[in-house]
Amino acid sequence: IAPSQLLPTGLAGDVVRIYESAKLVGLQQAAASVAVSRISSCLALFVWGTYTAFLVHAKLGWFPLLSVAASALGLMVFCALAFT
C-alpha cells in the first residue's frame, strides 16, 4: 500500500520528503525544510491574491482589500507563533 492511498496527496508527499531527507540531515532539519516550503508557497499565493485584490478593487469595492488585510494579519500571527 502506497502512502498516497492512506493520506491526502500533499500530506503523503510531505511525509515521504521528511522520511527520505531525515536519513541524510536529521528529522528536525527535514521537517523544517518542508515547513518552510509550505509557508513560502502560502506567501506566494498571498502575493498573487493581493495583486488580484488591487485589480478588482474598482469593481468590487473595499471587500477584497479588507480580506487581504485580514489574511495578512492572520499570516503574520501564524508565522509569529510558529517561529517562536
Side-chain angles (χ1 to χ4, degrees):
I1 295 178
S4 62
Q5 294 172 335
L6 301 174
L7 300 170
T9 305
L11 182 60
D14 289 347
V15 169
V16 171
R17 282 180 28 203
I18 290 172
Y19 177 76
E20 291 296 326
S21 59
K23 292 177 186 177
L24 298 173
V25 296
L27 182 59
Q28 291 177 340
Q29 289 85 358
S33 170
V34 171
V36 168
S37 171
R38 287 291 180 161
I39 290 173
S40 63
S41 297
C42 178
L43 182 61
L45 284 173
F46 177 74
V47 169
W48 280 110
T50 303
Y51 175 70
T52 304
F54 280 110
L55 288 179
V56 300
H57 166 57
K59 293 189 186 246
L60 298 178
W62 287 99
F63 181 73
L65 295 177
L66 293 176
S67 298
V68 166
S71 298
L73 180 63
L75 185 61
M76 286 187 287
V77 168
F78 171 77
C79 287
L81 292 174
F83 294 117
T84 56

